[in-house]
């Protein structure tokens, strides 16, 4: 399929990675990854620090430049130089470990800025959509607050609402609860569970094994820059087949 052809929604994997390699100098972080996420699927990626899971996630929307391989978003190879990368990225919501909110802007302005500058929406439409998504994450009363006045969990929920306000086809989460105090994790995971129930396509790098078991459609274990094992979350967590998976899970479960 050429880069200019738009596939029918749902006819192709939302995300497909083929033979992906990533080098930093002589250090090879990803060593030939093959990976896919079907439309409407929640795929959770687990593994030790340094396994390459966050690098894989960042390659999916070209925040990191792949060294070799293909990355197809809804059938479009985003490594093709002819591709409008900004247009493709507009269909991918991204939520990071850190919240990346603008500290000098109110919550509402954080949610409307990209809508207006990237999507070209008028002020009234952008505000309406922002308020809908703040309600979705349970923070309607915080629209006038500034990030410094919110808890970490509230900031992360605002970051999710900001990503949703761009009307993405899929969401990428890079360890979204790792920077939070334990008592704040549940609210963020609750929002993510709601998104999954609504059919949002999601790729989630996480250490939250309970979330992976309950919400995930597929669990992928990475180590040393390769996919070691993948399958249904209940199968991988309860009966891992690979010795390295067994060793990792014995330390985290």
């Amino acid at each position: 399929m050429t880069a200019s052809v738009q596939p029918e929604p749902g006819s192709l994997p939302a995300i497909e990675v083929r033979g992906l390699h990533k080098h930093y100098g002589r250090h090879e972080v990803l060593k030939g990854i093959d990976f896919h996420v079907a439309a409407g699927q929640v795929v959770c990626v687990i593994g030790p620090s340094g396994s390459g899971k966050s690098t894989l996630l960042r390659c999916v929307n070209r925040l990191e430049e792949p060294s070799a391989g293909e990355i197809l978003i809804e059938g479009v190879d985003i490594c093709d130089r002819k591709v409008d990368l900004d247009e493709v990225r507009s269909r991918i919501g991204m939520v990071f470990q850190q919240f990346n909110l603008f500290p000098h802007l109110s919550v509402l302005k954080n949610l409307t800025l990209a809508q207006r500058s990237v999507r070209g929406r008028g002020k009234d439409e952008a505000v309406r959509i922002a308020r809908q998504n703040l309600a979705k994450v349970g923070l309607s009363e915080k629209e006038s607050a500034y990030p410094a006045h919110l808890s970490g969990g509230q900031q992360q929920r605002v970051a999710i609402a900001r990503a949703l306000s761009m009307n993405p086809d899929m969401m990428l989460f890079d360890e979204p609860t790792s920077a939070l105090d334990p008592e704040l994790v549940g609210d963020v995971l609750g929002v993510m569970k709601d998104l999954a129930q609504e059919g949002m396509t999601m790729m989630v790098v996480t250490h939250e094994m309970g979330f992976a078991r309950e919400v995930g459609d597929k669990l992928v274990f990475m180590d040393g820059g390769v996919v070691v094992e993948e399958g249904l979350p209940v199968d991988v967590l309860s009966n891992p087949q690979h010795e390295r998976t067994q060793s990792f899970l014995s330390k985290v479960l």
Side-chain angles (χ1 to χ4, degrees):
M1 180 173 289
T2 62
S4 60
V5 175
Q6 295 296 319
E8 291 295 319
S11 63
L12 293 165
I15 301 167
E16 186 172 8
V17 174
R18 301 173 181 169
L20 182 65
H21 291 257
K22 176 62 181 177
H23 300 264
Y24 294 103
R26 295 183 179 180
H27 180 49
E28 189 174 25
V29 179
L30 300 177
K31 303 174 181 178
I33 300 289
D34 294 295
F35 180 93
H36 76 275
V37 181
Q41 198 174 41
V42 178
V43 176
C44 296
V45 184
I46 64 171
S49 297
S51 60
K53 54 191 188 295
S54 289
T55 302
L56 168 61
L57 193 77
R58 292 171 66 85
C59 283
V60 165
N61 68 353
R62 291 275 304 278
L63 288 175
E64 296 282 357
E65 193 70 24
S67 302
E70 295 178 300
I71 302 169
L72 288 84
I73 301 297
E74 298 172 329
V76 176
D77 184 358
I78 64 171
C79 298
D80 189 319
R81 287 180 293 178
K82 299 189 294 291
V83 158
D84 183 346
L85 190 56
D86 289 337
E87 192 278 328
V88 173
R89 280 183 178 149
S90 73
R91 307 204 300 270
I92 307 173
M94 183 90 182
V95 178
F96 300 89
Q97 295 178 40
Q98 303 300 327
F99 322 120
N100 295 339
L101 300 175
F102 292 108
H104 63 293
L105 297 180
S106 69
V107 164
L108 190 64
K109 288 185 178 178
N110 264 284
L111 266 66
T112 57
L113 181 64
Q115 289 191 67
R116 300 188 67 186
S117 61
V118 177
R119 288 291 193 188
R121 292 171 180 155
K123 179 180 178 181
D124 290 347
E125 183 184 16
V127 167
R128 176 180 59 80
I129 291 169
R131 285 175 171 159
Q132 286 176 349
N133 286 299
L134 282 175
K136 180 174 286 192
V137 302
L139 290 174
S140 294
E141 77 282 2
K142 298 293 186 181
E143 69 171 54
S144 299
Y146 286 80
H149 300 143
L150 303 177
S151 71
Q154 289 172 332
Q155 289 187 61
Q156 192 62 292
R157 285 150 63 197
V158 169
I160 293 172
R162 178 178 59 182
L164 291 173
S165 293
M166 300 297 284
N167 296 112
D169 295 343
M170 63 198 74
M171 292 281 287
L172 310 179
F173 293 88
D174 188 4
E175 299 187 17
T177 60
S178 65
L180 302 180
D181 292 333
E183 66 269 21
L184 302 177
V185 168
D187 289 339
V188 173
L189 294 181
V191 170
M192 294 170 65
K193 289 176 187 177
D194 290 344
L195 290 177
Q197 290 171 354
E198 293 169 8
M200 175 64 75
T201 303
M202 295 163 61
M203 180 177 170
V204 185
V205 172
T206 185
H207 293 295
E208 301 291 341
M209 300 302 164
F211 175 86
R213 184 190 296 269
E214 179 184 350
V215 181
D217 297 302
K218 181 168 69 173
L219 183 64
V220 175
F221 173 66
M222 288 184 64
D223 189 37
V226 300
V227 173
V228 176
E229 187 168 345
E230 62 180 288
L232 294 173
V234 65
D235 292 340
V236 176
L237 293 173
S238 301
N239 188 29
Q241 299 300 300
H242 196 282
E243 182 180 352
R244 183 65 188 96
T245 317
Q246 295 168 8
S247 174
F248 174 77
L249 291 175
S250 71
K251 295 180 174 68
V252 300
L253 292 179

